[in-house]
């Protein structure tokens, strides 16, 4: 890949040493801002972004809640197009995805900004960034695809911050990635309006969608969003017939981890999505604006897993704790350990070339061939 971190002069200057506020469209002429999709003009002259349910209305020079979509003259632009906050090779299990090419490597990247305001955000430095210096690495879609292929990756993951806010960039990259015979993966909170949702996920081979809790109060107070929007997204994507979906719930002590709430959530998953959608429960660690909340215990994560199994979900996993049994994929038909895991380390895989259990022939749902 020919791209490299942007070379800058002293703080407060651009590459040529001119004074700059770090925003595209002014002295930073190297930026690749693109006209955004999903917006229209209002009678009073404002432009309304229709990407997510916030539907920010902007006058010239104003930015949306996500910060990276801004009005420039008579259009809204995605200012982070072609620039990312960094690139890294990760195990696919880190996304987490346990039913997609087990043991493979993915090239992960993100940009900046978010359309939610989660008090517990683990990547808050980039999700709440208010300067384009957070995305100082130029990386156009075809460059990313070629780099991933050169590094021996099986997929490219849009992660770190939510790819919904850089949807056009992610979609173009996904197309370039697919041309290189690799998978495109979205790691997202699913806070997006229906029209862009359908277009966005049509480009994604797999997704891990956060189901952060199962009450409107939790979503409103802790994330600044709405549960109904996320449930609609999950339901639509699971049933779109193209995108493999796994779900993740970060268990936060005393906030979204009661037996009652977990039973309600797991019951909805089985009824609405079916028993084969994998669910990951991960342990919370104090971060961002929730440093006063204690970390989740391994016992609490294991309890949540058992509630989900009792509700009828076939594949339930634990994360951020040492629990090989809870991270292993078990055959729901004969009980064989199909894919052994200890953290991100993958042990024996007892599947044939078609993704079937070698003991009983059960076809494990997921993506097991490129």
């Amino acid at each position: 890949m020919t791209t490299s971190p942007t070379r800058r002069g002293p703080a407060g200057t651009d590459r040529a040493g001119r004074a700059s506020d770090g925003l595209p469209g002014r002295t930073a002429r190297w930026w690749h801002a693109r006209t955004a999709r999903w917006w229209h003009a209002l009678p009073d002259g404002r432009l309304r972004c229709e990407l997510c349910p916030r539907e920010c209305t902007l006058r010239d020079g104003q930015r949306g809640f996500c910060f990276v979509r801004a009005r420039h003259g008579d259009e809204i632009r995605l200012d982070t197009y072609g620039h990312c906050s960094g690139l890294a090779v990760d195990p696919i299990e880190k996304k987490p995805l346990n039913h997609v090419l087990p043991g493979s490597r993915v090239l992960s990247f993100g940009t900046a900004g978010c359309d939610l305001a989660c008090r517990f955000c683990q990547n808050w430095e980039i999700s709440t960034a208010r300067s384009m210096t957070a995305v100082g690495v130029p990386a156009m879609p075809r460059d990313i695809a070629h780099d991933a292929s050169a590094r021996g990756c099986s997929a490219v993951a849009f992660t770190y911050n939510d790819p919904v806010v850089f949807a056009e960039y992610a979609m173009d990259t996904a197309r370039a990635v697919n041309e290189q015979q690799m998978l495109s993966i979205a790691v997202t909170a699913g806070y997006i309006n229906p029209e862009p949702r359908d277009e966005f996920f049509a480009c994604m081979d797999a997704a891990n969608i956060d189901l952060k809790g199962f009450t409107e109060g939790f979503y409103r107070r802790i994330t600044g969003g709405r549960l109904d929007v996320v449930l609609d997204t999950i339901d639509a994507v699971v049933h779109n017939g193209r995108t493999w979906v796994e779900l993740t719930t970060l268990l936060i002590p005393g906030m979204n981890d009661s037996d009652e709430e977990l039973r309600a959530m797991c019951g909805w998953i089985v009824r609405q999505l079916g028993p084969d959608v994998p669910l990951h429960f991960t342990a919370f660690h104090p971060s961002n604006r929730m440093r006063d909340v204690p970390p989740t215990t391994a016992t609490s994560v294991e309890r949540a897993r058992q509630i989900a199994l009792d509700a009828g979900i076939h594949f339930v996993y634990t994360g951020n704790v040492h629990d090989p049994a809870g991270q292993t994929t078990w055959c729901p038909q004969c009980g064989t350990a199909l894919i052994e895991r200890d953290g991100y380390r993958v042990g024996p895989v007892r599947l044939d070339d078609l993704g079937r259990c070698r003991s009983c022939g059960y076809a494990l749902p997921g993506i097991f061939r490129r």
Side-chain angles (χ1 to χ4, degrees):
M1 182 167 163
T2 57
T3 57
S4 60
T6 304
R7 294 186 296 274
R8 290 184 174 272
T13 66
D14 64 14
R15 288 192 299 178
R18 298 183 293 259
S20 171
D21 58 7
L23 300 180
R26 299 184 183 179
T27 59
R29 300 181 186 278
W30 49 275
W31 213 266
H32 299 292
R34 295 291 177 91
T35 301
R37 302 182 61 184
W38 311 296
W39 58 270
H40 77 271
L42 298 176
D44 64 3
R46 292 177 298 169
L47 302 182
R48 178 156 65 200
C49 177
E50 296 178 333
L51 174 64
C52 89
R54 294 187 180 279
E55 297 190 343
C56 299
T57 55
L58 307 176
R59 298 195 184 278
D60 192 21
Q62 290 184 321
R63 295 184 168 274
F65 179 91
C66 67
F67 182 72
V68 298
R69 307 177 84 83
R71 178 170 177 176
H72 298 269
D74 294 329
E75 64 181 17
I76 294 177
R77 296 181 192 167
L78 171 59
D79 283 342
T80 52
Y81 191 103
H83 284 261
C84 68
S85 53
L87 298 142
V89 175
D90 294 318
I92 200 166
E93 288 76 16
K94 193 174 183 179
K95 299 304 98 188
L97 287 170
N98 281 2
H99 290 236
V100 180
L101 303 178
S104 64
R105 291 154 36 104
V106 301
L107 183 67
S108 301
F109 85 98
T111 61
C114 191
D115 59 349
L116 289 177
C118 300
R119 297 175 60 84
F120 52 82
C121 181
Q122 305 293 297
N123 292 321
W124 61 271
E125 294 93 340
I126 60 173
S127 69
T128 63
R130 290 299 178 263
S131 169
M132 291 301 166
T133 57
V135 284
V137 182
M140 295 299 284
R142 290 189 183 277
D143 295 327
I144 293 170
H146 286 296
D147 189 37
S149 180
R151 297 195 198 195
C153 294
S154 62
V156 169
F158 313 112
T159 182
Y160 302 138
N161 70 311
D162 201 306
V164 162
V165 301
F166 62 95
E168 298 88 343
Y169 183 23
M171 291 164 63
D172 287 350
T173 304
R175 296 184 186 102
V177 165
N178 288 160
E179 289 175 2
Q180 294 290 320
Q181 306 302 309
M182 294 178 292
L183 302 181
S184 53
I185 295 170
V187 181
T188 175
Y191 204 62
I192 185 171
N193 277 338
E195 181 182 346
R197 175 196 69 206
D198 294 343
E199 294 184 46
F200 176 79
F201 284 102
C203 296
M204 301 298 152
D205 298 295
N208 187 291
I209 303 177
D210 284 340
L211 182 51
K212 297 175 184 288
F214 207 68
T215 66
E216 286 289 356
F218 176 87
Y219 261 86
R220 184 178 63 255
R221 294 190 310 273
I222 306 301
T223 77
R226 289 164 37 203
L227 172 62
D228 65 308
V229 172
V230 178
L231 295 183
D232 285 347
T233 293
I234 293 169
D235 183 59
V237 180
V238 166
H239 292 110
N240 75 6
R242 185 195 191 285
T243 309
W244 172 254
V245 174
E246 301 188 24
L247 305 176
T248 293
T249 299
L250 182 73
L251 294 174
I252 305 174
M255 296 192 178
N256 66 350
D257 65 341
S258 70
D259 288 4
E260 179 183 16
E261 183 170 344
L262 293 174
R263 289 192 186 102
M265 181 179 74
C266 295
W268 179 86
I269 291 172
V270 172
R271 290 191 309 273
Q272 197 69 25
L273 311 179
D276 288 339
V277 174
L279 174 60
H280 301 255
F281 287 116
T282 58
F284 163 84
H285 297 292
S287 181
N288 196 19
R289 291 175 291 154
M290 292 184 65
R291 298 179 187 274
D292 57 337
V293 177
T296 312
T297 65
T299 300
S300 181
V301 178
E302 292 162 6
R303 171 182 55 85
R305 179 173 182 265
Q306 190 59 54
I307 288 172
L309 291 171
D310 291 343
I313 299 177
H314 288 162
F315 309 104
V316 189
Y317 300 102
T318 59
N320 292 344
V321 294
H322 183 246
D323 180 21
Q327 291 152 5
T328 291
T329 299
W330 301 90
C331 178
Q333 186 163 281
C334 71
T336 295
L338 297 178
I339 308 168
E340 294 187 29
R341 299 184 187 85
D342 186 349
Y344 302 136
R345 295 189 296 276
V346 177
V349 176
R350 299 180 180 91
L351 299 171
D352 65 18
D353 292 341
L354 297 178
R356 298 175 305 195
C357 173
R358 291 188 181 277
S359 297
C360 71
Y362 172 83
L364 184 66
I367 302 174
F368 301 103
R369 294 191 298 176
R370 291 170 64 172

